[in-house]
Amino acid sequence: MSWQDLKDMMREAGDVIHTEIMSQGGKSKGYGTVKFSNATDAANAIDTFNGTTYEGRILSLKLDKLSSNAVLYVTVGATASGMLSVLQLGHIRGMASLLMQLVDVYDVKVSEQQEANPLSRH
């Protein structure tokens, strides 16, 4: 991914001031930064592109804590068919936990309902 590719992509989320792709010897290191004109556009970029793929690789976007709140740190990670990123695993674990809580609530409701309305046996 070139800085121009990154800038063109991020423009869909808002007003991009500057993009930079870190490289060594002319080869991308797989990460870069995007500076937006405001924090709202940066947050929109995270909502829009985090976890999506670019040329088969998973994008990870987060606010750069060492800069202003309008700068994003972008990582082009593993291939979509390869390993999941730590961030995605966190989302999956969070969703699994939420589903388990919903199942527990459902089980309690069913038990309460059965106690309140026991089936008559003949």
Side-chain angles (χ1 to χ4, degrees):
M1 173 183 283
S2 72
W3 68 267
Q4 188 65 55
D5 294 334
L6 182 59
K7 189 170 190 174
D8 291 343
M9 177 188 290
M10 293 297 133
R11 279 186 178 145
E12 292 180 34
D15 185 26
V16 177
I17 294 173
H18 178 77
T19 59
E20 184 176 6
I21 297 291
M22 305 311 162
S23 61
Q24 184 174 15
K27 185 174 178 179
S28 170
K29 289 185 171 184
Y31 64 94
T33 58
V34 181
K35 183 173 185 177
F36 287 89
S37 64
N38 60 73
T40 301
D41 289 350
N44 186 37
I46 292 171
D47 291 342
T48 302
F49 295 108
N50 191 45
T52 63
T53 58
Y54 176 81
E55 294 183 354
R57 295 186 132 352
I58 300 167
L59 296 178
S60 174
L61 284 73
K62 63 181 179 179
L63 287 174
D64 182 350
K65 294 179 184 178
L66 300 176
S67 236
S68 75
N69 59 358
V71 175
L72 293 181
Y73 180 76
V74 180
T75 304
V76 181
T79 61
S81 61
M83 251 172 80
L84 292 174
S85 70
V86 172
L87 181 63
Q88 288 174 312
L89 287 174
H91 288 303
I92 290 169
R93 287 183 184 129
M95 290 300 293
S97 175
L98 179 61
L99 287 172
M100 293 302 291
Q101 290 172 11
L102 290 172
V103 167
D104 289 343
V105 168
Y106 176 77
D107 286 344
V108 168
K109 294 286 185 192
V110 168
S111 295
E112 289 173 354
Q113 190 175 41
Q114 287 173 346
E115 288 173 11
N117 301 316
L119 296 174
S120 61
R121 294 186 182 171
H122 298 285

